[in-house]
Amino acid sequence: MAEKLVQDGRRARGDATRRVVLSSATDLASVEGLDGLTIGRLAGSSGHSKSSIATLFGSKEALQLATIAAAREIFIDRIITPAREEPRGLPRLVALLRGAMAYSRDRVFPGGCFFAATAADVDSKPGAVSDAVRAASTDWYNYIEAQVRFAADAGELAIDEVGAEVLAFHLIALYEESNSRSLLMDDDRPYVLAAAAMTERLIAAGAARDLVVALEK
């Protein structure tokens, strides 16, 4: 019994250390990229020793993959999960877009959108780390497009299959530009412009104004 309590205590301490280290890692990677995420650099920012971080993760690649997974969980918790309270289609699409801009604007990560920041770091490189970033981004793009298609099927948008793909592309591009320009200019105005442009684009695609006006609130 005593041995089990000791093991449980060690596991709990290890889990707590892992959470603290990954919190520092996601923040660091959002600013400096995944290439800048080394065990030595993280030791300085997290307050934990190199040896303890190396014991937890084993290698730089394992650390990078764990950091991506942690950032993905935060992205889901902040954007996807709340939006799922809305019916799929246009209401959920609006909730997703609002949630994404709030997540960027509120600087959940100091470098803005974690995946926008890290995609630029790994987009032309092969390997497991690039694959993980690509998979997370692809899931997000596909989820937005799925809501556009649900909205079209429900008669909330007057677009065909090609139009749905193009509209999803435009909406994602507006979000990503608002994230990038806000960081560059240190200004929230890009989110206001993006929300207005998204609203106009959805109305042009057949959405009722009262269903999309929440984007600008």
Side-chain angles (χ1 to χ4, degrees), residues 46-118:
S46 70
H48 289 273
S49 68
K50 291 182 182 180
S51 60
S52 66
I53 295 173
T55 298
L56 282 172
F57 300 101
S59 68
K60 179 179 178 179
E61 181 178 86
L63 171 61
Q64 290 172 324
L65 291 172
T67 300
I68 295 165
R72 190 171 188 170
E73 287 183 10
I74 293 169
F75 188 92
I76 290 170
D77 287 345
R78 289 296 298 258
I79 303 172
I80 307 296
T81 300
R84 283 179 173 158
E85 295 179 3
E86 299 293 337
R88 67 184 188 181
L90 197 55
R92 190 175 298 179
L93 176 64
V94 170
L96 287 166
L97 295 171
R98 285 189 69 194
M101 287 189 289
Y103 146 91
S104 173
R105 184 186 61 242
D106 295 346
R107 298 297 187 256
V108 173
F109 300 110
C113 178
F114 177 92
F115 291 100
T118 55

Side-chain angles (χ1 to χ4, degrees), residues 5-212:
L5 288 174
V6 170
Q7 290 175 343
D8 288 347
R10 287 174 178 169
R11 185 177 298 108
R13 288 193 297 274
D15 289 345
T17 299
R18 184 181 177 88
R19 286 193 296 272
V20 170
V21 170
L22 285 175
S23 178
S24 293
T26 53
D27 285 352
L28 181 63
S30 75
V31 175
E32 299 189 8
L34 287 163
D35 277 348
L37 186 62
T38 63
I39 290 174
R41 180 72 179 82
L42 189 55
S45 65
S46 70
H48 289 273
S49 68
K50 291 182 182 180
S51 60
S52 66
I53 295 173
T55 298
L56 282 172
F57 300 101
S59 68
K60 179 179 178 179
E61 181 178 86
L63 171 61
Q64 290 172 324
L65 291 172
T67 300
I68 295 165
R72 190 171 188 170
E73 287 183 10
I74 293 169
F75 188 92
I76 290 170
D77 287 345
R78 289 296 298 258
I79 303 172
I80 307 296
T81 300
R84 283 179 173 158
E85 295 179 3
E86 299 293 337
R88 67 184 188 181
L90 197 55
R92 190 175 298 179
L93 176 64
V94 170
L96 287 166
L97 295 171
R98 285 189 69 194
M101 287 189 289
Y103 146 91
S104 173
R105 184 186 61 242
D106 295 346
R107 298 297 187 256
V108 173
F109 300 110
C113 178
F114 177 92
F115 291 100
T118 55
D121 195 30
V122 302
D123 58 6
S124 61
K125 301 173 185 176
V129 174
S130 296
D131 289 346
V133 172
R134 188 176 300 109
S137 298
T138 299
D139 284 350
W140 167 241
Y141 299 158
N142 288 345
Y143 195 54
I144 290 291
E145 186 172 336
Q147 299 314 309
V148 172
R149 293 185 186 280
F150 285 135
D153 291 343
E156 297 168 337
L157 296 172
I159 52 177
D160 58 15
E161 287 289 310
V162 174
E165 183 179 17
V166 171
L167 177 58
F169 184 89
H170 286 175
L171 295 172
I172 292 165
L174 286 166
Y175 159 65
E176 291 183 346
E177 176 62 14
S178 70
N179 171 76
S180 176
R181 191 176 296 193
S182 174
L183 287 165
L184 180 63
M185 302 299 182
D186 191 23
D187 186 4
D188 283 352
R189 179 67 178 164
Y191 300 110
V192 176
L193 297 175
M198 288 174 181
T199 301
E200 289 181 4
R201 186 69 185 83
L202 286 165
I203 290 171
R209 178 174 289 275
D210 63 324
L211 293 180
V212 297

